[in-house]
Amino acid sequence: GAGVSQSPRYKVAKRGQDVALRCDPISGHVSLFWYQQALGQGPEFLTYFQNEAQLDKSGLPSDRFFAERPEGSVSTLKIQRTQQEDSAVYLCASSKTETVTNEKLFFGSGTQLSVL
Amino acid sequence: GNSVTQMEGPVTLSEEAFLTINCTYTATGYPSLFWYVQYPGEGLQLLLKATKADDKGSNKGFEATYRKETTSFHLEKGSVQVSDSAVYFCALRGSGNTGKLIFGQGTTLQVKP
């Protein structure tokens, strides 16, 4: 597609519910990142995929957070038993190759999650 | 660990005023430095970057110089426009890692006609 697409754009969940957030990266992009952006803050790294391999998940805040990219394209971030502190905008970004050091990242518009 | 600190906003300027948004960083090794911009309702976009000391990144009239001696990467523009109103994020990418970005907290710029 033309850019990184994320869905849903907005998600409201009751505390304790499970949610799944989807990211469609730019077609053919090898690297995919998930970030969490709390209100008024900068994005914080959650996890990184190179094709289907999850190479870095050091930013996932708890074992309630799980991400996958089974076929090396679409990725899903799942949050189990959501808590109020999970309320944030979740951003997905992709880049063309695996050598990401100086490559441009393309960001989606994000999914705004509100946990009531 | 690596970190980025930006000046707090909001910054409110009149059109054609000079803009500076301060950014300092803490990092081991030789990070790459970036400015990203987020326009209302849109995703983050790369504005400019610098990959080594004394490099100057520039785009759309914005500039920033990688100063290793002061660990800074301040964003400047000589004459802002209303269309520059956005949130600006300074970020670094450490050397030798998976490529994850460390962001500052963002600075909101509002330009009035």
Side-chain angles (χ1 to χ4, degrees):
Chain A
V4 178
S5 177
Q6 292 188 245
S7 61
R9 184 72 179 88
Y10 301 95
K11 176 70 178 176
V12 178
K14 291 183 179 178
R15 190 164 55 93
Q17 281 185 331
D18 298 348
V19 298
L21 313 179
R22 177 186 170 104
C23 173
D24 283 81
I26 294 173
S27 179
H29 275 198
V30 168
S31 296
L32 185 146
F33 297 80
W34 282 99
Y35 287 84
Q36 180 190 58
Q37 186 175 15
L39 187 64
Q41 300 297 314
E44 291 195 1
F45 171 81
L46 292 177
T47 187
Y48 163 63
F49 288 87
Q50 189 181 109
N51 294 308
E52 69 278 4
Q54 189 174 20
L55 298 187
D56 188 344
K57 53 182 181 179
S58 62
L60 296 176
S62 77
D63 58 7
R64 297 187 294 105
F65 287 71
F66 172 77
E68 60 183 5
R69 195 185 183 197
E71 297 179 359
S73 55
V74 171
S75 177
T76 303
L77 176 67
K78 297 179 180 178
I79 308 173
Q80 297 177 323
R81 304 180 303 282
T82 52
Q83 304 296 315
Q84 284 190 322
E85 61 263 28
D86 300 335
S87 296
V89 176
Y90 290 85
L91 299 172
C92 178
S94 69
S95 64
K96 194 172 184 180
T97 74
E98 68 275 8
T99 52
V100 293
T101 307
N102 293 315
E103 264 205 3
K104 183 177 178 178
L105 280 187
F106 294 84
F107 280 83
S109 296
T111 294
Q112 184 170 329
L113 173 65
S114 298
V115 181
L116 305 179
Chain B
N2 295 345
S3 66
V4 175
T5 302
Q6 290 180 237
M7 66 185 285
E8 288 196 20
V11 174
T12 303
L13 296 173
S14 297
E15 208 165 19
E16 299 183 3
F18 184 86
L19 168 71
T20 300
I21 300 178
N22 290 339
C23 171
T24 57
Y25 69 90
T26 301
T28 55
Y30 302 94
S32 296
L33 301 174
F34 304 82
W35 277 99
Y36 277 81
V37 58
Q38 189 169 33
Y39 298 104
E42 298 184 17
L44 281 164
Q45 302 174 26
L46 178 65
L47 180 60
L48 54 84
K49 68 179 184 182
T51 58
K52 61 183 187 295
D54 300 325
D55 267 4
K56 178 186 284 188
S58 61
N59 185 25
K60 299 181 181 179
F62 291 89
E63 293 184 339
T65 301
Y66 187 163
R67 301 284 188 201
K68 192 164 179 63
E69 64 276 12
T70 54
T71 61
S72 65
F73 192 55
H74 304 321
L75 182 69
E76 296 181 337
K77 187 174 185 181
S79 176
V80 293
Q81 306 300 312
V82 172
S83 57
D84 293 327
S85 298
V87 183
Y88 292 81
F89 293 92
C90 185
L92 72 81
R93 178 179 282 152
S95 54
N97 67 6
T98 56
K100 65 186 179 187
L101 289 167
I102 307 297
F103 286 89
Q105 74 271 31
T107 301
T108 300
L109 171 64
Q110 185 176 29
V111 180
K112 296 186 173 180

